């Protein structure tokens, strides 16, 4: 399986190099040259598999000869061993026709663990084989950073530097990033927004000298391996509810568009998905882009769902590539427009392509809060604000003849203030992190300036 860049001019790579490279040298994102359709006899087998077995069958066509089957099975087993639920991603019915898939039973209590625990294991295997070391730089609005630190802490051949927007993540998220004491973990609080952090990260990849010197690696969803690992749970839900043969729809709380794009890949692999519904908070650039065709960056407005306080949504570029007939030059043109004028208009045919597969709605702060209360009152579920946005939008898009699955992307205890305000109940942290508030924090505050951030990374990483 080969991977190509969405901008069309970077080298074609195999899976292993795609994972190590992160962002393509031409600024684009890697995507598979073609998406493999899962053979009916493989789909038939999925029924009998646990989560790990399903992960093996779903991801195997994408990884080429990077790992033998036995190596890959062992990697998957290690990745999910520390999850706090035997089903890994339990699918619960909320009401007639509406289900919620809980993706927050991993070690850092958000869906990011599904991919991050896996790529942590894959990176370790590949780096050990090659005898190489890397510097991971990640941009986070809260969850990717903690998941990355958990997956890579303590490794000799990896430094992990996480940029998060100062004052714009929840206290639990911040402490998850600032309390690990391992010398290879570097939490950097940037005086800016998540979009600033993500822009600096992409600019570091565009700086070839820096990139090569520190051996820069990415664990955000710009890395294809992150998206791939997230494809698995769409199959998991579909097999749980209909043997992988029944048509269904998914509603996904969305920010950087990685999670829902993974659902789109599952669809292209043959999963019978009717609608993929983008659910956003008041930072609704994706809803506007999908409904009007105009992608226009605005001010980020802090919300009670801070992980989704995002304007520039990196994986949307992967969808645009497909929607534009896989024309890298056309994607480059739109991305240049974004850099220069903060927006672009999606050509009509591409808009039609996108609307054939995706719907989109946003919720206000008041609606999100009301849905947290309603989910508790009606279904007996305490949900985090991001998951509440998914459930609220799923209700609105439900077509009773097609099961709708809303993705619950984080544990309520990561956002206790919003949950308590809506329900009067403060969700406790699970026992394994009950002492989070007693641990000492270690964090460096840094100006919203690429040069200063790069200098800090150069200084801190172990040579
Ligand atoms: C809890 C939570 N929900 C939803 C999202 C949005 O996911 P994506 O960025 O893949 O669209 C994020 C961040 O990415 C998140 O941390
Ligand atoms: N919400 C995310 C933002 C980064 O998303 P990613 O999927 O590209 O890593 C976060 O929690 O950091």
């Amino acid at each position: 399986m080969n991977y190509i860049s969405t901008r069309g001019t970077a080298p074609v790579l195999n899976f292993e190099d795609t994972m190590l490279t992160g962002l393509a040298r031409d600024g684009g994102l890697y995507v598979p040259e073609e998406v493999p359709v899962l053979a009916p006899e493989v789909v038939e087998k999925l029924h009998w598999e646990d989560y790990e077995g399903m992960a093996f069958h779903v991801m195997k066509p994408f990884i080429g000869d990077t790992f033998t089957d036995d190596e890959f099975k062992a990697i998957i087993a290690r990745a999910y061993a520390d999850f706090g639920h035997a089903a890994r991603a339990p699918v619960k019915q909320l009401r007639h026709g509406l289900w919620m898939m809980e993706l927050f039973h991993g070690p850092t209590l958000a869906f990011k663990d599904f991919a991050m625990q896996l790529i942590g294991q894959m990176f370790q295997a590949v780096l050990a084989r090659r005898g190489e070391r890397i510097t991971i730089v990640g941009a986070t609005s809260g969850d990717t950073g903690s998941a990355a630190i958990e997956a890579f802490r303590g490794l000799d051949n990896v430094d992990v530097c996480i940029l998060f927007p100062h004052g714009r993540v929840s206290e639990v998220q911040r402490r998850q990033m600032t309390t690990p004491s391992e010398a290879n973990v570097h939490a950097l609080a940037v005086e800016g927004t998540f979009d600033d952090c993500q822009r600096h990260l992409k600019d570091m990849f565009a700086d070839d000298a820096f990139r090569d010197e520190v051996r820069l690696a990415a664990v955000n969803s710009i890395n294809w391996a992150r998206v791939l690992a997230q494809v698995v749970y769409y199959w998991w839900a579909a097999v749980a509810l209909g043997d992988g043969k029944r048509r269904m729809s998914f509603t996904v709380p969305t920010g950087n568009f990685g999670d829902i794009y993974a659902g789109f890949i599952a669809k292209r692999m043959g999963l019978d998905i009717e609608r993929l519904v983008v659910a956003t908070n008041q930072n609704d650039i994706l809803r506007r882009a999908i409904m009007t065709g105009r992608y226009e960056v605005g001010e980020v407005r802090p919300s009670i769902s801070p992980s989704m306080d995002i304007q520039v949504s990196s994986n949307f570029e992967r969808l645009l590539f497909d929607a534009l007939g896989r024309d890298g030059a056309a994607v480059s043109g739109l991305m240049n427009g974004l850099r220069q004028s903060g927006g672009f208009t999606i050509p009509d045919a591409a808009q039609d392509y996108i609307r054939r597969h995706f719907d989109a709605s946003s919720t206000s702060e008041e609606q999100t809060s009301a849905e947290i209360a309603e989910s508790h009152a009606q279904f007996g579920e305490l949900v985090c604000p991001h998951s509440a946005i998914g459930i609220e939008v799923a209700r609105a898009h439900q077509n009773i003849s097609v099961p709708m699955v809303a993705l619950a992307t984080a544990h309520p205890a990561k956002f206790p203030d919003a949950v308590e305000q809506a329900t009067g109940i403060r969700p406790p942290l699970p026992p394994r992190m009950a002492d989070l508030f007693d641990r000492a924090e270690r964090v460096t505050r840094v100006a919203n300036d690429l040069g200063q951030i790069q200098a800090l990374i150069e200084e801190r990483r172990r040579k």
Side-chain angles (χ1 to χ4, degrees):
M1 162 75 66
N2 282 330
Y3 290 85
I4 55 175
S5 164
T6 50
R7 305 218 184 152
T9 57
V12 174
L13 300 178
N14 65 14
F15 176 78
E16 182 170 324
D17 288 324
T18 299
M19 181 177 81
L20 290 176
T21 300
L23 196 66
R25 293 261 169 192
D26 59 4
L29 278 71
Y30 276 104
V31 289
E33 209 160 34
E34 49 192 73
V35 175
V37 171
L38 222 49
E41 58 275 18
V42 177
V43 176
E44 206 60 52
K45 264 194 244 172
L46 296 181
H47 176 89
W48 306 102
E49 298 288 355
D50 60 8
Y51 191 87
E52 286 81 341
M54 193 171 298
F56 173 78
H57 289 298
V58 170
M59 291 190 286
K60 187 177 153 50
F62 291 91
I63 66 158
D65 58 5
T66 301
F67 306 110
T68 64
D69 284 0
D70 285 347
E71 268 176 329
F72 195 37
K73 283 179 184 166
I75 282 171
I76 294 170
R78 287 196 296 275
Y80 299 114
D82 199 22
F83 273 51
H85 196 293
R88 311 309 184 217
V91 184
K92 284 184 175 170
Q93 186 156 19
L94 296 181
R95 69 172 189 190
H96 182 53
L98 177 62
W99 281 262
M100 163 172 90
M101 176 158 54
E102 291 183 352
L103 298 173
F104 50 71
H105 295 287
T108 68
L109 311 181
F111 76 98
K112 310 285 178 173
D113 290 320
F114 277 89
M116 209 64 83
Q117 285 292 312
L118 184 87
I119 71 169
Q121 295 295 334
M122 295 201 290
F123 265 99
Q124 284 180 61
V126 168
L127 292 175
R129 190 199 297 151
R130 293 182 170 209
E132 289 178 9
R133 58 171 302 121
I134 54 170
T135 304
I136 289 172
V137 180
T140 189
S141 52
D143 291 323
T144 291
S146 42
I149 288 171
E150 186 62 31
F152 291 94
R153 62 197 283 184
L155 298 184
D156 284 339
N157 50 358
V158 177
D159 276 271
V160 51
C161 307
I162 297 298
L163 315 178
F164 69 88
H166 176 70
R168 290 174 182 251
V169 299
S170 81
E171 189 171 0
V172 173
Q173 289 176 315
R174 190 193 72 234
R175 285 179 169 276
Q176 284 181 320
M177 294 186 279
T178 58
T179 57
S181 57
E182 288 82 355
N184 73 328
V185 173
H186 315 282
L188 308 179
V190 177
E191 285 160 0
T193 63
F194 167 76
D195 289 295
D196 294 323
C197 297
Q198 183 156 256
R199 183 169 39 83
H200 293 318
L201 173 63
K202 288 191 172 180
D203 287 346
M204 283 182 227
F205 272 97
D207 177 344
D208 284 339
F210 177 82
R211 175 181 188 154
D212 294 336
E213 188 203 329
V214 306
R215 189 67 181 93
L216 191 59
V219 293
N220 279 100
S221 55
I222 54 178
N223 191 322
W224 167 257
R226 274 278 314 279
V227 175
L228 174 60
Q230 293 173 200
V231 174
V232 176
Y233 46 68
Y234 289 89
W235 282 96
W236 177 252
V239 170
L241 298 183
D243 256 357
K245 294 174 192 147
R246 185 172 174 198
R247 171 165 297 189
M248 54 189 54
S249 293
F250 291 88
T251 301
V252 186
T254 296
N256 233 356
F257 205 77
D259 207 7
I260 198 159
Y261 186 75
F264 184 52
I265 294 294
K267 181 170 184 176
R268 287 167 57 199
M269 291 174 75
L271 193 59
D272 192 0
I273 296 179
E274 184 173 79
R275 306 302 293 163
L276 287 159
V277 186
V278 170
T280 77
N281 65 20
Q282 58 190 1
N283 297 294
D284 65 345
I285 182 168
L286 285 170
R287 183 193 61 76
R288 285 183 281 115
I290 291 169
M291 304 319 280
T292 69
R294 180 77 195 152
Y295 188 96
E296 188 87 58
V297 176
E299 274 293 294
V300 181
R301 291 161 66 203
S303 75
I304 57 169
S305 46
S307 303
M308 284 158 48
D309 291 346
I310 297 176
Q311 288 283 328
V312 181
S313 185
S314 53
N315 287 282
F316 197 61
E317 176 166 345
R318 286 189 164 112
L319 179 63
L320 283 173
F321 182 61
D322 296 321
L324 291 164
R326 310 205 112 202
D327 178 347
V331 173
S332 286
L334 295 187
M335 291 302 142
N336 287 340
L338 182 62
R339 272 259 165 191
Q340 281 156 17
S341 63
F344 55 80
T345 300
I346 305 168
D348 287 348
Q351 288 186 37
D352 292 345
Y353 177 95
I354 291 171
R355 289 192 202 114
R356 270 206 299 284
H357 303 282
F358 293 87
D359 281 323
S361 289
S362 2
T363 63
S364 66
E365 293 290 271
E366 295 71 29
Q367 285 171 312
T368 305
S369 208
E371 183 57 60
I372 297 174
E374 188 62 20
S375 286
H376 185 246
Q378 210 183 335
F379 312 134
E381 298 290 344
L382 271 188
V383 296
C384 90
H386 312 79
S387 310
I389 290 170
I391 295 169
E392 157 83 13
V393 170
R395 288 179 194 263
H397 285 262
Q398 216 186 329
N399 156 4
I400 220 64
S401 62
V402 179
M404 170 67 85
V405 181
L407 272 52
T409 48
H411 193 288
K414 284 193 108 165
F415 307 94
D417 296 339
V419 177
E420 186 175 23
Q421 203 167 19
T423 63
I425 300 168
R426 195 164 184 84
L429 283 167
R432 65 167 125 181
M433 55 178 77
D435 67 343
L436 187 68
F437 285 79
D438 304 328
R439 300 180 199 158
E441 292 192 76
R442 201 166 51 93
V443 58
T444 306
R445 193 141 155 202
V446 55
N448 189 9
D449 175 81
L450 177 63
Q452 292 191 40
I453 296 169
Q454 280 179 300
L456 203 54
I457 292 169
E458 294 259 26
E459 176 198 312
R460 294 288 167 85
R461 79 188 175 94
R462 296 153 318 149
K463 315 292 181 309

